[in-house]
Amino acid sequence: MRRALYPGTFDPIHNGHIDIAVRASVLFDEVVVAIYDAPPKKLLFTTQERLDLAQQALEHLSNLRIVTYTGLTVECAREHKVDVIVRGLRNVADFEYEQQIGWANAALAPHIDLCCLFCNNDYAYLSATILKEVASLGGDCGAWAPPHVLDALEQKFDRPIRSSGPKIYLRHEDKLVHRD
Ligand code: ADP
């Protein structure tokens, strides 16, 4: 049984994250998405909110579960008995960051390997930071996150999300979800 950990902040989960989680769930027998509860950056959503949003976004994946964690990612990986840590790569900056963290993690836990997946080209520019900024300024971000995440952003910023894009996101087995 090959079990992978997909750690991150997920503040909030968006289509780039979902794409990696879906692909990891195909590559591995079991995927544990791990939401880091206290990263050294300002968060918009609480840990519980990030967990709820991720759970709703990924509930269709039967071999994937979601946990939250504090402390070292490798300790979380040990706790959940994973063989591999999965991360997504958008560009050279991500590569350099993941390479450094990956080597540090390998020094701490040599038995845990790193698997970096190139992001979907459609989401190469997408980050949670950009999603939040565009949402807060009333820009059109309807194609970047599932409907319930857009609803949550709407509530946080107390303004409607503009969404003239396709208003859909791709789920496992090509099931499309529409936002009314
Ligand atoms: P972190 O703070 O650990 O980078 P993030 O929530 O920003 O947490 O990202 C979690 C993981 O998802 C990271 O591996 C990141 O590179 C990846 N990721 C972020 N945005 C995208 C995207 N648009 N496409 C694919 N992977 C992404």
Side-chain angles (χ1 to χ4, degrees):
M1 152 94 76
R2 304 293 293 173
R3 189 178 293 134
L5 189 83
Y6 178 32
T9 307
F10 304 106
D11 183 46
I13 192 162
H14 56 61
N15 287 358
H17 296 135
I18 294 168
D19 176 68
I20 298 290
V22 168
R23 287 160 56 204
S25 79
V26 174
L27 289 171
F28 296 95
D29 298 310
E30 194 181 322
V31 176
V32 180
V33 172
I35 299 179
Y36 186 35
D37 80 342
K41 52 187 175 187
K42 198 168 167 286
L43 296 170
L44 179 64
F45 292 97
T46 65
T47 304
Q48 186 61 47
E49 286 169 335
R50 288 180 285 139
L51 176 67
D52 292 343
L53 293 173
Q55 249 154 6
Q56 212 177 320
L58 301 172
E59 65 190 0
H60 56 296
L61 300 173
S62 57
N63 66 338
L64 179 148
R65 63 195 162 89
I66 309 177
V67 300
T68 61
Y69 73 104
T70 309
L72 288 173
T73 301
V74 289
E75 288 306 329
C76 177
R78 275 199 191 103
E79 185 188 330
H80 293 283
K81 299 187 170 37
V82 306
D83 315 290
V84 175
I85 291 175
V86 170
R87 298 280 289 174
L89 291 185
R90 285 162 294 192
N91 47 42
V92 173
D94 274 357
F95 172 83
E96 287 184 349
Y97 177 76
E98 296 303 338
Q99 184 182 48
Q100 191 176 13
I101 297 279
W103 278 332
N105 284 341
L108 294 169
H111 61 290
I112 300 173
D113 218 329
L114 174 65
C115 171
C116 287
L117 298 177
F118 282 116
C119 74
N120 182 321
N121 194 33
D122 290 340
Y123 304 127
Y125 57 85
L126 182 57
S127 67
T129 304
I130 285 178
L131 171 63
K132 286 179 284 191
E133 193 164 344
V134 171
S136 74
L137 297 172
D140 185 343
C141 54
W144 296 349
H148 70 282
V149 174
L150 301 177
D151 291 344
L153 286 165
E154 237 166 33
Q155 281 184 15
K156 280 282 177 199
F157 295 123
D158 196 21
R159 67 179 303 166
I161 297 288
R162 274 207 303 130
S163 178
S164 64
K167 296 183 188 165
I168 54 172
Y169 75 109
L170 199 57
R171 288 175 53 146
H172 203 39
E173 293 163 359
D174 291 345
K175 193 170 153 207
L176 298 177
V177 172
H178 293 255
R179 182 170 193 257
D180 297 326

